[in-house]
């Protein structure tokens, strides 16, 4: 060779690339990175359980409202929450809220060391009950043979060792087969 430049044989570069990629692939395949999916799975299952609990709550509340309808609100501060022009519908919404809250307390899901559950605020005062009433929407659908219930701002929280690891707040909507609004 007439020039004095240093040359690196292409075979040496190929061997270095082959060794580097083999080492990298072995590191990835050996499970060097571990992902904990317990919170994700627990949250998904708690969301599903909350929708089931809401469906059961709506069905039971509709049955109870048909069995013992409220036609006029009580003359108390608690009864003032219910609108005089629609006492049946408001009482149905309140029954759904209370039943859903109780159902959510029972519908927790645990995966690994993570526990997730849906929740709604308690209603210890008439103002809190009024806020609860604002969270629930009911509508007759399918020619009045079904009831569509929307519950706003349902929180699902996952906890691991007492600390919150995931949180989600969303609206839940279910439809149950009951003609309660059409019958009313």
């Amino acid at each position: 060779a007439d020039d004095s430049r240093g040359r690196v044989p292409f075979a040496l570069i190929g061997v270095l690339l082959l060794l580097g990629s083999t080492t990298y692939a072995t590191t990835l395949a050996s499970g060097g990175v571990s992902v904990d999916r317990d919170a994700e799975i627990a949250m998904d299952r708690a969301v599903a359980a909350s929708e089931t609990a809401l469906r059961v709550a709506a069905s039971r509340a509709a049955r109870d409202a048909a069995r013992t309808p409220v036609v006029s609100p009580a003359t108390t501060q608690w009864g003032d929450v219910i609108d005089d022009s629609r006492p049946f519908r408001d009482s149905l919404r309140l029954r759904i809220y209370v039943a859903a809250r109780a159902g959510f307390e029972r519908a927790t899901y645990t995966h690994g060391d993570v526990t997730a559950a849906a929740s709604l605020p308690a209603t210890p005062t008439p103002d809190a009950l009024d806020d609860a009433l604002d969270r629930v929407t009911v509508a007759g659908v399918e020619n009045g043979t079904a009831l569509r219930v929307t519950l706003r701002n349902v929180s699902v929280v996952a906890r691991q060792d007492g600390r919150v690891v995931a949180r989600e707040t969303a609206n839940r909507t279910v439809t149950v087969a009951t003609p309660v609004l059409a019958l009313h």
Side-chain angles (χ1 to χ4, degrees), residues 84-167:
D84 290 336
S85 65
R86 56 174 194 251
F88 181 82
R89 187 176 285 262
D90 282 358
S91 69
L92 174 62
R93 290 167 52 203
L94 289 174
R95 288 175 195 223
I96 291 170
Y97 184 88
V98 170
R101 186 171 184 279
F104 290 169
E105 289 176 0
R106 293 186 301 271
T108 61
Y109 187 83
T110 301
H111 188 312
D113 57 349
V114 177
T115 300
S119 64
L120 291 169
T123 54
T125 65
D127 289 335
L129 191 64
D130 193 34
D131 291 341
L133 187 64
D134 292 338
R135 287 176 177 246
V136 182
T137 304
V138 295
V141 293
E142 298 179 20
N143 295 325
T145 62
L147 178 68
R148 178 172 296 134
V149 176
T150 301
L151 186 56
R152 286 186 289 283
N153 298 327
V154 176
S155 292
V156 180
V157 177
R159 297 181 190 282
Q160 183 176 25
D161 299 326
R163 72 183 203 291
V164 175
V165 293
R167 179 184 310 266

Side-chain angles (χ1 to χ4, degrees), residues 36-73:
D36 184 12
R37 299 205 189 282
D38 289 347
E40 180 182 351
I41 292 168
M43 288 288 288
D44 286 345
R45 300 287 163 40
V47 167
S50 71
E51 288 177 357
T52 301
L54 178 57
R55 186 172 287 109
V56 170
S59 181
R60 287 183 181 161
R63 189 171 50 247
D64 292 344
R67 191 175 299 141
T68 56
V70 174
V71 292
S72 63

